[in-house]
Amino acid sequence: MSNESLIARRQRAMGPAYSHFYKEPLYLTRGEGVWLFDNKDRKYLDCYNNVPSVGHCHPYVVDAITKQIGTLNTHTRYLHHAIIEYAEMLAATLPGDLSVCTLVCTGTEANDLAYRIARTVTGNEGAICTVGAYHGNSTLVSELSPEFERLRPQPDFVVDVAAPDAYRGPFDDADADYVQKYADLVDDSIAELAEKGHKPAMMIIDSIYDAAGVHTPPPEYQQKVYEKVRAAGGLVVCDEVQSGLTRMGDNYWGFMDSGVVPDIVTMGKPMGAGHPLAVVVTTPEIAAGFATESDYFNTFGGNPVSATAGKAVLEVVARENLLANVKRSGDYLIAGFKKLADKHALIGDIRGKGLFLAVELVRSRDTREPASSEAAAVIEHMRENGVLLALIGQDRNTLKLRPPLVFTTEHADIALAALDDALSTVAHA
Ligand SMILES: Cc1ncc(COP(=O)(O)O)c(C=O)c1O
C-alpha cells in the first residue's frame, strides 16, 4: 500500500483536523525498544516518543496485557486485585499524603477531573494556568491550554500567568531577582481573578513547562508559587503527564525536584506504555471532600487490563533501574549538546533535564531571533538520516528530545552525530 493512497484515504475517512509530522508523513509498522520501523522496514531511532515509556512493545508489558485480556476485562464496579495493587504501587512512588488514585483513560480526563475536585473542595471556581501550556483537548481543559491561540473569548474564571522562561520571558536569569519576579506574577493572576469575581480553585502546573518551551526554574520558584496559591484558598495541581515516571532523571515525579508536594497530581501518556491509562492522585482528605459531592464512574478507566499495563510498567521501571538510566543518558546528551554549541552558532540555548531536553535554535545569539525554518529543516534532515524528533515553542524553533526511558548513551551518540550533520548542512544551505 503506497503512502499516497493512505494519505488520500485518511483525508476522506478522518477529515482535515488531523495533522501529521514531516512533509512526507511516516508510515510506521512496528517498534522495538527505542527503534521504529517503516513500511519498507527502514529503521529509525526514536528520540521523540514518551508514551512507549519502557520502550516500544516491551515484551514484559505485552505479555502481561495479553494474559489479562485473555482472562477478564471489566470495570471498577467489581473487585479486582490488579486495580488495587496498581493504585497501591503508584502511591508508594509519591511523597506526603498523595495516596488516593482515580484511574481514567487520558491526560485530558485527568486534568478535567482535577478541576472538578478542586472546585468542589475549595468552593472556588478560578483556575490559573501558564502561558503556552497544554493540558488537554476537552472543552474545559482546552481553556486551560493557551498553547493554541484562543479563538473564543477567554472564560472569566481562567487567567494565564507567564512561564518562568529565563531565555525569552519577561525576566531573564541575569536579573538576580528573576525567580521572585516570576513568582510574584501569580499575585497578579490572583488579583485578576478577584477583579472578575473569582477566587482560585486551582493553579495547574506542568513541571517541565513542555509546550511553553521546556523550563526548569530553581526550586524556590515552585515553593513560592505553591505558598501564594494556597494562601489564596486554591489547590496546586501538578500535571505530570509529560514530566513524570522518572522522565526528569532525579526523581520519579518532576515536582519532587523542587521539594514541593502538590494537592493533586495528574498522570497520563507513559503510564501504560501505549495502553490508554491516566491517573489522578490526591490526599485522603481531598478525596473524601470530593466524594461528598460526587460518585465517580468511568467505563474504561481502571479496567483490569489497563491496571495490569500500569503495574507492568512500574515493575519494568524499577527492575531495569530506569531512573538511573535517564539521569546517565540525559547528562550525556546535555554534555554532547554543549560541545555542538561550540561548533554551531545556530544553537542559542540548551534546556531541560533527564530525557526531556530542548535545544533552541536562533539566527543570532545576540538578538535571539528564532531560527524557525532552520529548525524545521534540521528535523527533516535528521529524519532522512534515521533519527526522529520534533519541534516545540511558540516559534517552533526548539528541538525537543524526549525518547523512551530505555534510551542509552550509545543511542545518544547516534542522535548527536545526526544533529551535528543536520546543523552543518542547514547552516551551509
Ligand atoms: C502536559 C500534558 N498534559 C495533558 C495532556 C493531555 O493528555 P491526553 O492527550 O492523553 O489527553 C498532554 C498531551 O499532550 C500534555 O502534554
Side-chain angles (χ1 to χ4, degrees):
M1 210 178 317
S2 75
N3 284 12
E4 287 68 32
S5 76
L6 271 189
I7 294 167
R9 280 171 57 197
R10 177 172 123 138
Q11 178 79 10
R12 272 196 303 278
M14 296 167 69
Y18 284 96
S19 58
H20 50 68
F21 288 157
Y22 301 111
K23 283 190 209 139
E24 289 254 331
L26 265 175
Y27 177 7
L28 296 172
T29 51
R30 70 189 172 93
E32 198 183 311
V34 295
W35 298 100
L36 285 165
F37 298 81
D38 72 9
N39 53 329
K40 301 199 172 90
D41 219 30
R42 172 143 195 231
K43 188 173 164 180
Y44 298 88
L45 179 65
D46 185 358
C47 296
Y48 175 71
N49 288 290
N50 57 347
V51 171
S53 46
V54 292
H56 291 274
C57 306
H58 193 293
Y60 184 77
V61 179
V62 172
D63 188 49
I65 305 177
T66 309
K67 282 196 182 122
Q68 186 57 49
I69 203 157
T71 309
L72 176 77
N73 202 18
T74 52
H75 52 76
T76 50
R77 281 188 170 145
Y78 301 109
L79 283 179
H80 194 278
H81 58 274
I83 309 171
I84 300 155
E85 281 163 15
Y86 180 55
E88 289 171 348
M89 282 170 74
L90 194 55
T93 66
L94 286 152
D97 284 343
L98 291 166
S99 59
V100 181
C101 303
T102 306
L103 277 65
V104 298
C105 306
T106 67
T108 302
E109 267 187 284
N111 287 327
D112 193 280
L113 177 60
Y115 176 70
R116 277 184 65 201
I117 296 172
R119 207 174 51 173
T120 304
V121 303
T122 63
N124 301 336
E125 298 272 335
I128 303 171
C129 56
T130 309
V131 173
Y134 181 76
H135 297 288
N137 58 26
S138 67
T139 308
L140 168 73
V141 181
S142 57
E143 297 293 0
L144 307 174
S145 300
E147 179 186 13
F148 302 108
E149 191 191 344
R150 290 189 176 95
L151 299 175
R152 295 170 197 274
Q154 184 164 342
D156 68 356
F157 65 92
V158 178
V159 299
D160 307 345
V161 65
D165 173 353
Y167 189 66
R168 276 191 193 283
F171 316 113
D172 76 27
D173 49 11
D175 178 344
D177 285 336
Y178 84 104
V179 170
Q180 185 66 48
K181 287 182 178 169
Y182 274 113
D184 287 347
L185 293 178
V186 173
D187 293 330
D188 300 346
S189 300
I190 293 167
E192 197 184 327
L193 277 177
E195 275 165 31
K196 295 173 178 171
H198 292 292
K199 286 184 177 172
M202 69 169 192
M203 173 158 171
I204 184 163
I205 301 172
D206 165 358
S207 299
I208 190 90
Y209 299 92
D210 165 45
V214 178
H215 306 289
T216 50
E220 307 82 67
Y221 171 73
Q222 304 290 3
Q223 291 163 10
K224 289 173 194 288
V225 167
Y226 276 48
E227 251 176 52
K228 289 174 189 290
V229 173
R230 286 174 173 156
L235 303 186
V236 181
V237 175
C238 204
D239 179 337
E240 290 280 338
V241 167
Q242 295 272 1
S243 51
L245 200 70
T246 73
R247 172 64 53 189
M248 289 172 67
D250 281 329
N251 289 292
Y252 255 75
W253 308 103
F255 66 81
M256 292 169 79
D257 294 3
S258 297
V260 287
V261 181
D263 302 295
I264 301 177
V265 182
T266 58
M267 306 164 179
K269 290 179 186 287
M271 304 304 292
H275 193 84
L277 171 62
V279 192
V280 179
V281 191
T282 190
T283 65
E285 196 188 340
I286 293 174
F290 181 60
T292 57
E293 183 189 271
S294 187
D295 187 20
Y296 187 78
F297 179 62
N298 187 317
T299 302
F300 297 117
N303 69 75
V305 174
S306 300
T308 299
K311 269 182 65 185
V313 167
L314 289 180
E315 282 160 9
V316 173
V317 169
R319 193 191 312 153
E320 297 186 9
N321 200 1
L322 293 185
L323 181 61
N325 182 64
V326 169
K327 177 82 179 154
R328 185 169 48 246
S329 303
D331 287 352
Y332 187 85
L333 273 169
I334 292 172
F337 293 148
K338 286 186 177 155
K339 273 196 207 139
L340 290 181
D342 292 338
K343 183 171 164 193
H344 299 284
L346 266 174
I347 296 183
D349 198 27
I350 297 162
R351 297 189 291 273
K353 279 190 70 182
L355 285 176
F356 205 131
L357 300 171
V359 179
E360 178 151 358
L361 303 188
V362 292
R363 294 197 177 127
S364 145
R365 285 183 182 164
D366 294 332
T367 65
R368 300 185 179 180
E369 182 190 348
S372 306
S373 57
E374 293 85 343
V378 165
I379 295 290
E380 292 287 344
H381 189 278
M382 290 182 76
R383 174 239 165 109
E384 292 302 313
N385 285 329
V387 177
L388 305 181
L389 40 86
L391 296 179
I392 41 162
Q394 304 277 298
D395 297 299
R396 289 286 181 269
N397 65 320
T398 301
L399 314 175
K400 166 160 129 180
L401 280 92
R402 187 200 48 181
L405 304 168
V406 290
F407 193 88
T408 63
T409 53
E410 286 77 34
H411 303 129
D413 281 332
I414 300 171
L416 289 164
L419 179 58
D420 189 10
D421 189 51
L423 289 168
S424 300
T425 307
V426 168
H428 297 117

